Amino acid sequence: MGLFDRDNNVRGGSGTARAAAAELAIQAQADQAQNDQAQAEQEPTAQQPTGTGDPDGSPATIANTDQVSEQTHADRELLAAYAQELHRIIAVGRPGTSVVLAAVDTGEQISGNPWFQLDVEVTLPGQTPYLVSRREMVAAQFLARYATGTTHGVAVDPADPQNIAFTS
């Protein structure tokens, strides 16, 4: 039985080459899907999600669970202290404006977010602008907001004018 004869028998009439080609394409897709599934089942677990791992990207394993847990806890404490300090400065700080003069990636990351060394020109109302060099964590989705030349609102710690928090 030929390809077109099979189509005629299935459809009960005269089939077209287009219908036969469509049937073959559907069968080929089904075969490919089965092959892909079989291959995925045979691949090592490195292709599968690994859960939480070290900040360097290595997977969490039973052997390094304590180390990963300790690092995660330390990261969480650092982020909490960082956020608390920023909130404090915003609450008590004097409002001003700033312009980012330079932003350099330090190569450090906490919870996947890079730290940058920012050189910022700060201006408070009625005062001469001054320079602040600040280490700031910037999430990947906000990197463009801190490009050189961008302007931001800031709060300036009244006890230390070098200590600022971005407000915009």
Side-chain angles (χ1 to χ4, degrees), residues 6 45 151:
R6 179 177 172 204
T45 58
T151 303

Side-chain angles (χ1 to χ4, degrees), residues 43-166:
E43 288 181 4
T45 58
Q47 297 294 326
Q48 298 173 1
T50 58
T52 59
D54 278 339
D56 67 1
S58 61
T61 64
I62 291 174
N64 71 357
T65 300
D66 290 341
Q67 181 183 7
V68 170
S69 179
E70 288 172 12
Q71 183 63 48
T72 301
H73 182 71
D75 288 353
R76 188 174 314 148
E77 285 186 0
L78 179 77
L79 290 173
Y82 176 71
Q84 184 176 11
E85 177 65 2
L86 292 177
H87 287 295
R88 184 194 68 78
I89 296 169
I90 291 169
V92 301
R94 295 179 53 202
T97 59
S98 68
V99 176
V100 176
L101 303 177
V104 178
D105 189 344
T106 66
E108 299 173 74
Q109 286 193 354
I110 298 290
S111 298
N113 295 310
W115 286 90
F116 283 81
Q117 189 67 37
L118 301 178
D119 291 333
V120 180
E121 182 181 71
V122 175
T123 304
L124 292 174
Q127 293 187 2
T128 304
Y130 64 97
L131 295 179
V132 171
S133 185
R134 175 164 178 80
R135 189 171 161 261
E136 187 79 22
M137 183 179 63
V138 182
Q141 65 265 30
F142 299 118
L143 287 176
R145 291 179 64 190
Y146 292 91
T148 302
T150 56
T151 303
H152 302 275
V154 291
V156 178
D157 187 342
D160 180 3
Q162 291 292 309
N163 201 6
I164 65 170
F166 290 99

Side-chain angles (χ1 to χ4, degrees), residues 1-12 23-24 27:
M1 176 188 298
L3 178 64
F4 297 110
D5 294 333
R6 179 177 172 204
D7 187 52
N8 283 337
N9 290 338
V10 169
R11 299 189 192 283
E23 185 177 324
L24 284 176
Q27 184 60 45

